[in-house]
Amino acid sequence: MLEIIIRLALLICSISMLGLIYRVIKGPSVADRVIALDAIGVNLIAITALTSVVLNSHAFLEIILLIGILAFIGTVAFAKYLEKGVIIERERNH
Amino acid sequence: MRNTNNIILETAVKVLLFFIALYSVYIFTAGHYYPGGGFIGGLMTAGAIVLLLITYDIKTVVGILPVNFRILTAIGLLFAIGTSAGSLIFDAPFLTHAFGDVHLPILGDLSLHTATLFDLGVYFVVVGVTMTIIQTIGEDE
């Protein structure tokens, strides 16, 4: 029973990632694309966790934290680009 | 551009930075038997410094970390080549690594490998190259 539910959850996560990829390509504004990319990162974490349950191994658990940190840094960089127009400033002006 | 005040990011990064740096050290040392190693550890350290660069600016980060990343790359290459060429002294093929079980007072029984030193070289090279690329891109406007 658990096996079937986990495989169903993997399928649903994959389908939702396809929808998010459609939003990244089509998205009317840049903010839509950024949020879709962040959600793809979250879905990637879910798929990695479900895969590690299916394969019954704890080798992927560090990768989950890694994807989380990298997705966070990417989202922060995009947010700063949208807010200030520059990612790495030479000198702050305040 | 508007003069925005990103106090939430600055406060959060002051805590998060140490967790990311600690995690990179963990994943570097775990790399012998589990997923991880010098390459991904170096990428995590570079990610922590990039987060610092995004939150603050180049001038502040150079003040915090007065490291020339090109020299760090050279030191890393020296480590990697030196530890792999060291096996030639003992009449063994290039890149042969040695290991031994050592008993230390507090840490207990440890299996120490010279491959860790090679991995440390890889770590320095990855941090140096990544930060050189990002600083070069960030500096021209």
Side-chain angles (χ1 to χ4, degrees):
Chain A
M1 191 65 201
L2 186 68
E3 195 86 350
I4 298 166
I5 291 172
I6 286 168
R7 277 163 203 267
L8 210 64
L10 266 173
L11 191 70
I12 293 169
C13 279
S14 313
I15 292 169
S16 75
M17 263 180 98
L18 282 177
L20 286 165
I21 289 168
Y22 170 76
R23 184 52 62 200
V24 168
I25 296 167
K26 182 84 178 176
S29 68
V30 186
D32 289 325
R33 293 195 171 101
V34 172
I35 290 175
L37 277 173
D38 193 36
I40 283 177
V42 174
N43 264 328
L44 214 56
I45 292 171
I47 286 177
T48 315
L50 288 169
T51 312
S52 70
V53 174
V54 168
L55 297 178
N56 198 11
S57 85
H58 57 87
F60 298 127
L61 297 184
E62 284 136 9
I63 314 301
I64 293 172
L65 202 50
L66 198 74
I67 298 172
I69 291 170
L70 289 181
F72 170 70
I73 292 173
T75 310
V76 167
F78 268 123
K80 184 165 180 187
Y81 175 71
L82 289 179
E83 187 74 16
K84 294 200 172 174
V86 57
I87 294 178
I88 297 173
E89 287 168 288
R90 196 181 290 276
E91 199 173 351
R92 281 186 299 172
N93 46 358
H94 63 82
Chain B
M1 272 291 137
R2 282 179 295 167
N3 192 7
T4 49
N5 184 6
N6 48 1
I7 185 95
I8 295 174
L9 182 63
E10 285 180 16
T11 314
V13 161
K14 273 172 197 162
V15 180
L16 277 175
L17 189 74
F18 294 102
F19 282 103
I20 297 176
L22 199 67
Y23 184 59
S24 80
V25 172
Y26 163 71
I27 214 164
F28 167 68
T29 50
H32 200 72
Y33 295 118
Y34 295 104
F39 186 81
I40 193 69
L43 275 183
M44 288 311 297
T45 310
I49 302 171
V50 166
L51 194 62
L52 209 60
L53 272 174
I54 291 170
T55 313
Y56 299 99
D57 50 12
I58 290 177
K59 203 177 168 187
T60 315
V61 174
V62 168
I64 295 168
L65 285 171
V67 179
N68 190 344
F69 288 105
R70 294 173 189 84
I71 292 175
L72 194 69
T73 312
I75 291 171
L77 277 175
L78 210 65
F79 255 88
I81 294 172
T83 49
S84 46
S87 61
L88 293 175
I89 299 171
F90 301 102
D91 204 19
F94 192 67
L95 283 170
T96 306
H97 79 96
F99 63 94
D101 293 315
V102 183
H103 187 81
L104 289 178
I106 299 166
L107 297 169
D109 285 322
L110 287 176
S111 173
L112 295 180
H113 299 249
T114 55
T116 310
L117 290 172
F118 178 78
D119 233 17
L120 192 69
V122 175
Y123 179 91
F124 282 153
V125 169
V126 171
V127 172
V129 169
T130 315
M131 289 317 297
T132 307
I133 291 170
I134 287 169
Q135 278 185 341
T136 317
I137 293 171
E139 269 171 2
D140 59 72
E141 306 225 340

